[in-house]
Amino acid sequence: MKQNKKLGQCFLKDKNIVKKAVDAANVNKNDIVLEIGLGKGILTKELAKNAKKVYVIELDKRLEPFAEEVIAEHPNVDVIWNDALKVNLNELNFNKIVANLPYQISSPITFKFLKTDFEVAVLMYQYEFAKRMVAKEGTKEYGRLSVSVQYNANVEFICKVPPSAFSPKPKVDSAIVRITKKEPNELFHLEDEEFFEKVVRALFQHKNKTAKKALINSSHEIGLNRDELKDILNNLSEFDLNERVFKLNIKKIVELSNLIYKLTHKK
Ligand code: SAM
């Protein structure tokens, strides 16, 4: 079978990396695990050995012989033949996610995961993407992805993975990341989640500018006209709008979004 690059088919061959991913999620016999991308089943088998049940979503039907082999050995595996972006994940009753992701869907699948109710996710990404996910304010990798993921989850960098761990070898390095949903007492209070997402988008379109300039330049993103927004910002004395966007931590961005929301959505 010729592996399909468009489907991100770089299969893991390094068993130590497989073990590292499963250990990082602390998979045990109480867990129902979701995996994206069966490949030849190297990760699925290790998950099945340790978990109560494994759901694996795979798009490429040519991999059916590998699915049969995995299920014969591990009847607690259920393969769902579909595009992971189209499956209603809330219908699957999993508590952990472990996957060597097809990198072309990294971003949409991560945001889809974040809307589900999981405890922990251990995921393999392209190294550069992983660095953006875990980045803190003040660094060059800090951006919209970092804020959107970290505002409701804690993200840890587990390890860098070289191309030699895969077959065929990808052209770039990879990395394993662990995402843990924040506890209720760690969560920020958001006046409006959709509005917050718009503010984050507007700010990070100009991450090296001051918060004030960035927002005014992207006022359309938050559905306000330039002059209206200028007036609002001129009256926000409680917030330092001269700070550059990439230096604003998540708490400050939440605060800013809430302040603007309250001023523009007065009843
Ligand atoms: N888990 C295997 C491993 O570690 O060797 C395979 C990982 S490989 C990076 C990604 C897998 O995801 C491939 O088997 C590919 O066919 C599958 N895939 C790609 N796009 C997909 C999608 N949208 N939905 C479900 N599976 C997909």
Side-chain angles (χ1 to χ4, degrees), residues 4 6-13 18 35-44 57-60 63 82-85 99-105 166:
N4 184 336
K6 283 198 190 132
L7 291 180
Q9 291 184 338
C10 288
F11 299 151
L12 265 171
K13 64 172 188 190
V18 172
E35 186 193 357
I36 308 298
L38 173 85
K40 293 185 178 175
I42 185 169
L43 179 57
T44 320
I57 306 176
E58 173 58 61
L59 187 57
D60 188 353
L63 295 167
N82 204 340
D83 179 343
L85 294 175
N100 169 19
L101 291 172
Y103 64 76
Q104 76 283 4
I105 63 166
F166 304 87

Side-chain angles (χ1 to χ4, degrees), residues 148-177:
S148 310
V149 174
Q150 293 173 34
Y151 99 88
N152 60 11
N154 295 317
V155 195
E156 298 158 87
F157 190 91
I158 302 291
C159 64
K160 191 169 177 175
V161 182
S164 58
F166 304 87
S167 172
K169 284 185 196 166
K171 289 198 178 71
V172 290
D173 283 321
S174 304
I176 298 177
V177 164

Side-chain angles (χ1 to χ4, degrees), residues 41-136:
I42 185 169
L43 179 57
T44 320
K45 286 182 191 169
E46 191 62 27
L47 288 169
K49 261 195 252 166
N50 291 281
K52 180 168 154 194
K53 183 165 183 68
V54 181
Y55 289 110
V56 50
I57 306 176
E58 173 58 61
L59 187 57
D60 188 353
K61 270 269 187 176
R62 295 178 309 157
L63 295 167
E64 233 167 351
F66 298 102
E68 281 162 15
E69 185 202 315
V70 171
I71 294 167
E73 238 177 272
H74 302 282
N76 59 341
V77 173
D78 196 347
V79 183
I80 299 162
W81 297 101
N82 204 340
D83 179 343
L85 294 175
K86 294 190 181 145
V87 175
N88 181 357
L89 299 181
N90 292 315
E91 282 176 1
L92 305 173
N93 198 15
F94 57 90
N95 63 318
K96 293 186 179 173
I97 310 172
V98 181
N100 169 19
L101 291 172
Y103 64 76
Q104 76 283 4
I105 63 166
S106 295
S107 187
I109 199 70
T110 301
F111 287 109
K112 196 171 161 121
F113 289 157
L114 287 169
K115 292 203 160 61
T116 69
D117 193 19
F118 67 87
E119 285 163 29
V120 60
V122 172
L123 304 166
M124 177 92 74
Y125 294 102
Q126 262 181 276
Y127 179 63
E128 300 302 327
F129 190 91
K131 280 214 312 207
R132 288 199 281 132
M133 277 186 73
V134 302
K136 293 291 174 212

Side-chain angles (χ1 to χ4, degrees), residues 242-259:
N242 293 318
E243 188 71 279
R244 291 187 191 276
V245 170
F246 77 99
K247 290 192 172 163
L248 293 175
N249 65 23
I250 298 178
K251 186 166 175 277
K252 280 194 179 153
I253 299 174
V254 168
E255 210 177 291
L256 179 58
S257 160
N258 285 347
L259 283 169

Side-chain angles (χ1 to χ4, degrees), residues 175-186:
I176 298 177
V177 164
R178 175 167 52 207
I179 306 175
T180 319
K181 284 281 188 76
K182 282 195 198 301
E183 296 291 331
N185 66 345
E186 295 176 291

